[in-house]
Amino acid sequence: TAECPAYATELVFALDISQDTTLQMFEQMKKIVTEIVNQTNIRESNCPVGARVAVVSYSSNTNYLIRFSDFQSKNKLLQELNRLSFQRATNRRDIGGSMRFVARHLFKRTLQGANVRKVAVFFSNGESDHPSSVNTALLEYSALEIVPVILTFNNIPETNRAFLRNLTFCFFPDKCKPDAACELNRRTRPPWEYVDVAFILDSSSRLGPDEFEKLKEFLIRALNHFDISSQPATSSVGDRIALVSHGVPAFRPQTQVIPVKKEFDLVTFNTTQLIKKYIQEYVQQMDGQSAVGHAIQWTINHIFSHTPYPRKHKVIIIISVGGTSQWDKAMLKKVSLRAKCQGYALLVVSVGRVYDSTELQELASYPLEQHLIQLGRIHKPELNYAIMFLKPFLHFLQSKCL
């Protein structure tokens, strides 16, 4: 309608020009984009109302056709859309690669604000040459709060499965006869499988008091993505959460001191509110030295190994600040490899500008792009990225996409 969109919107269209795309398909894409633009309130001034539009083409690479800043007139934008000509590429499509390009380059300098909507529409004539990159892109899109939409002329099962958990997906060989699966896909979900998750929190002296409080707030917000079991000790239904802190002042290898403080285990609490209350009121910084490797080993041996009704998916989320202590590095390398071999998913949230890249690569599960979040600062926008990343990460894990 003439008033659509109600909020300021940054809208990107990505046209598939890979080797199997025909001129007829390209013209169909142009026609759809033109119809959408015709029905959209285009922003024609600096006032943050209406939509700005950008257009790219992609195959294995992505190229600019129209930038956000090129036109502040709907008529001129429509004229430029009409002038776009088909230049088919000779290589295959990489939907995920194009999605990541759009997120990192086109949306990087867009209008910011709580009410700004970011939408990316990708046309596709077939399966991506790198299906795993679609999963990575969807994790990043969720974290950046970008809404992706796939419009395809052929059924693409791998991409469909990735989008099914989170996003908008439609298959239409003929737009006059929409595929009935479009409506079904919006209702169908893979079987929900619950998780056992242990958070390992850095409570060492590397953190200032304010930074530690922000990490506690991160934990509290992260809990909103879980369906906490009401009977964690006697039922196989529901997610279960544990929390251990490392940075115990008296701990060193070969001593009798426990390397972590067990805040609570997988069966301690049966509601989200009780867990949040504990974190808020009782988790305190210990100011010792970092011992990530020893903390992982202790968590596996004492949290996961002795808990009844183990969940199919076991996740260890490590909040890392600046790397572990030198005397812990050998343990970290050994125990993280063992954990992966035993089926644990290791998600690493690295915060701070100082880090050991080799250590992070050894620590996180593969592919790294889907199991390693590096945040430059400990402040709300950065931590919000990690929060938004976590939701699709869990969905992909439960639906066997990771």
Side-chain angles (χ1 to χ4, degrees):
T1 67
E3 299 302 320
C4 179
Y7 295 100
T9 301
E10 309 288 64
L11 177 59
V12 177
F13 294 98
L15 311 182
D16 183 357
I17 59 166
S18 53
Q19 61 184 15
D20 57 359
T21 301
T22 65
L23 174 61
Q24 182 182 8
M25 291 174 181
F26 183 80
E27 291 300 324
Q28 179 79 333
M29 296 179 217
K30 277 179 54 178
K31 184 177 180 181
I32 294 170
V33 173
T34 300
E35 289 176 354
I36 293 173
V37 171
N38 253 325
Q39 298 178 43
T40 300
N41 178 26
I42 300 299
R43 192 185 316 160
E44 298 190 351
S45 69
N46 292 328
C47 181
V49 176
R52 293 198 308 169
V53 174
V55 182
V56 299
S57 62
Y58 78 95
S59 53
S60 60
N61 300 306
T62 303
N63 298 298
Y64 291 97
L65 298 179
I66 299 174
R67 299 174 186 260
F68 282 125
S69 58
D70 284 351
F71 301 101
Q72 286 192 327
S73 162
K74 177 184 280 193
N75 288 336
K76 291 182 179 179
L77 175 59
L78 289 169
Q79 290 170 11
E80 186 64 19
L81 285 171
N82 187 56
R83 283 194 291 265
L84 294 180
S85 60
F86 180 45
Q87 296 181 345
R88 180 170 49 209
T90 58
N91 40 25
R92 295 173 59 83
R93 72 185 56 79
D94 181 3
I95 300 173
S98 182
M99 291 175 69
R100 298 181 77 188
F101 179 94
V102 167
R104 295 180 178 189
H105 296 280
L106 277 77
F107 285 115
K108 185 176 181 180
R109 296 179 178 86
T110 57
L111 186 67
Q112 303 299 314
N115 291 326
V116 176
R117 302 294 183 258
K118 294 177 285 187
V119 182
V121 180
F122 292 83
F123 292 87
S124 175
N125 187 42
E127 192 61 82
S128 176
D129 204 30
H130 303 284
S132 178
S133 70
V134 176
N135 289 345
T136 302
L138 294 182
L139 290 168
E140 293 183 5
Y141 270 51
S142 177
L144 295 167
E145 299 183 86
I146 301 170
V147 178
V149 181
I150 288 281
L151 301 177
T152 176
F153 297 96
N154 290 291
N155 196 10
I156 46 178
E158 288 292 331
T159 302
N160 193 358
R161 277 194 289 272
F163 271 69
L164 197 58
R165 291 297 294 172
N166 303 279
L167 306 161
T168 306
F169 181 97
C170 261
F171 161 54
F172 56 96
D174 181 348
K175 73 170 186 175
C176 296
K177 299 177 182 178
D179 195 306
C182 282
E183 289 303 318
L184 180 62
N185 283 350
R186 293 190 181 101
R187 298 190 300 268
T188 305
R189 292 293 183 270
W192 189 266
E193 296 179 352
Y194 296 105
V195 294
D196 280 339
V197 177
F199 285 90
I200 296 181
L201 174 64
D202 192 325
S203 184
S204 70
S205 58
R206 296 178 185 272
L207 287 161
D210 291 343
E211 293 174 321
F212 187 74
E213 289 301 314
K214 289 176 182 176
L215 291 185
K216 286 173 56 176
E217 181 61 29
F218 164 77
L219 289 173
I220 289 170
R221 292 182 59 202
L223 292 171
N224 295 329
H225 293 319
F226 298 95
D227 180 12
I228 301 300
S229 175
S230 60
Q231 298 176 307
T234 59
S235 171
S236 58
V237 175
D239 300 321
R240 301 186 298 185
I241 305 294
L243 174 63
V244 300
S245 301
H246 67 93
V248 177
F251 174 73
R252 292 295 184 279
Q254 312 304 323
T255 66
Q256 299 301 311
V257 178
I258 296 175
V260 301
K261 177 186 177 185
K262 183 182 79 171
E263 305 290 355
F264 51 85
D265 61 29
L266 294 170
V267 299
T268 304
F269 296 118
N270 62 358
T271 72
T272 302
Q273 290 306 315
L274 286 174
I275 300 175
K276 289 182 176 182
K277 179 179 174 64
Y278 179 93
I279 294 172
Q280 187 67 49
E281 297 182 4
Y282 297 106
V283 173
Q284 302 293 326
Q285 188 172 2
M286 293 184 289
D287 282 329
Q289 294 188 35
S290 179
V292 180
H294 285 80
I296 294 173
Q297 183 182 52
W298 191 94
T299 300
I300 292 174
N301 291 342
H302 296 87
I303 298 292
F304 286 102
S305 297
H306 301 294
T307 302
Y309 299 96
R311 305 311 193 238
K312 181 177 181 179
H313 300 291
K314 299 172 291 184
V315 185
I316 301 175
I317 300 178
I318 302 116
I319 303 173
S320 173
V321 182
T324 196
S325 300
Q326 190 64 38
W327 45 261
D328 184 65
K329 288 184 180 292
M331 173 64 77
L332 182 147
K333 183 175 182 179
K334 179 177 70 174
V335 75
S336 59
L337 178 60
R338 183 188 304 158
K340 295 167 198 173
C341 292
Q342 293 175 344
Y344 291 88
L346 272 59
L347 174 65
V348 180
V349 181
S350 172
V351 294
R353 300 186 185 280
V354 178
Y355 57 89
D356 184 331
S357 58
T358 300
E359 178 183 306
L360 293 177
Q361 291 173 23
E362 292 173 347
L363 184 55
S365 294
Y366 289 95
L368 289 176
E369 295 87 353
Q370 299 172 17
H371 295 84
L372 174 59
I373 307 170
Q374 290 186 258
L375 308 177
R377 296 168 56 193
I378 305 176
H379 72 313
K380 188 173 181 178
E382 298 274 0
L383 294 175
N384 186 63
Y385 179 95
I387 292 290
M388 299 303 293
F389 187 100
L390 182 59
K391 182 177 181 180
F393 171 84
L394 293 169
H395 286 168
F396 284 145
L397 183 74
Q398 291 157 336
S399 58
K400 303 178 182 178
C401 288
L402 292 181

